[in-house]
Amino acid sequence: MKKILLVGAVLAASFGPTSVLAEEDALLVEARKVATSLPPKLIAALQDEIQKSGAEAAIPVCKDMAPKMAGEISQQTGWKVKRVSLKARNDARAIPDAWEKAALEDFDKRAAAGEPPAKLEKGEKIGNEYRFVKALPVQPLCLGCHGPIDQLSPGIKAALSQNYPNDRATGYSEGQIRGVISVRKSL
Ligand code: HEC
């Protein structure tokens, strides 16, 4: 009898606040998986196109293919996926909301203080939604289109100013944070 009571107590303890934590842990793992599925494919496609046809020809990869891939991932997983930045290139889809902005500012500070940018992420359950962001660090590959403006090729400069008159997404150096992948799901 005593034993049964003890088991009962242990079960009660583990299905109390702990199960909420377990649920959030599971959501974090799922969100991270969704968020990390996009960048490697995008980087491979960018590399491939730049090598084959040059940086200018690769602009549609970041412009059209990235949102298309994000849409496909959303359809497959039920998570909404987008990219946002404190210095958005595309005003129509990359302006962060307040929660994303706070995370981006925190990531910038932590990267400047020496934390590895690739590790920066944040997950949080807010009301009936789970949200997660993961930093997108600037790599050498990104500089051709996001580096200092005087180092961009004339063709890239022209294409960018034609497509994005409001472009803020230049002037980056390697290791800075270009933006985040932001994913969210209603619970
Ligand atoms: C060939 C040029 C090119 C390269 C190389 C490139 N980008 Fe971009 N990037 C763009 C363009 C163009 C956009 C605007 C996309 C749109 O219209 O939504 C963009 C948008 C983004 C955005 C969305 C936020 C915003 O500002 O609109 C992120 C995040 C981003 N790029 C990260 C990167 C990272 C990280 C790399 C390197 C791994 C990279 N890009 C390499 C051209 C490029």
Side-chain angles (χ1 to χ4, degrees):
M1 187 63 191
K2 239 186 190 164
K3 223 178 192 171
I4 293 173
L5 277 178
L6 189 67
V7 171
V10 169
L11 281 179
S14 56
F15 283 104
T18 344
S19 69
V20 175
L21 280 184
E23 187 204 345
E24 288 201 26
D25 279 351
L27 283 165
L28 175 65
V29 169
E30 195 184 323
R32 189 187 286 133
K33 202 173 143 205
V34 172
T36 50
S37 65
L38 178 63
K41 284 183 207 151
L42 199 57
I43 288 170
L46 272 173
Q47 256 162 351
D48 204 43
E49 194 60 32
I50 290 173
Q51 215 165 38
K52 264 200 311 220
S53 324
E56 239 181 288
I59 284 183
V61 175
C62 229
K63 181 168 184 272
D64 306 318
M65 200 191 261
K68 192 168 158 261
M69 283 177 176
E72 283 166 6
I73 293 173
S74 299
Q75 273 194 334
Q76 285 159 10
T77 64
W79 289 78
K80 283 191 203 131
V81 181
K82 64 189 291 199
R83 300 184 305 168
V84 296
S85 172
L86 291 174
K87 296 192 338 171
R89 172 156 287 167
N90 189 327
D91 278 343
R93 53 187 172 212
I95 305 283
D97 66 18
W99 187 83
E100 290 161 335
K101 185 165 175 277
L104 277 158
E105 284 167 352
D106 176 53
F107 290 175
D108 273 352
K109 273 195 213 125
R110 287 162 60 188
E115 276 189 62
K119 294 234 163 89
L120 295 170
E121 61 173 36
K122 177 182 181 186
E124 193 178 358
K125 189 175 169 214
I126 305 170
N128 65 346
E129 196 180 37
Y130 191 83
R131 301 195 63 176
F132 175 86
V133 282
K134 183 162 186 64
L136 295 166
V138 174
Q139 313 176 13
L141 168 72
C142 320
L143 294 175
C145 299
H146 295 293
I149 195 123
D150 57 354
Q151 286 168 37
L152 305 183
S153 77
I156 292 286
K157 256 194 265 190
L160 290 178
S161 66
Q162 195 191 346
N163 284 289
Y164 308 98
N166 251 339
D167 190 14
R168 280 160 292 212
T170 56
Y172 285 91
S173 47
E174 192 181 346
Q176 286 186 312
I177 294 164
R178 178 62 264 281
V180 287
I181 292 268
S182 178
V183 306
R184 62 202 292 176
K185 189 169 94 165
S186 295
L187 303 173

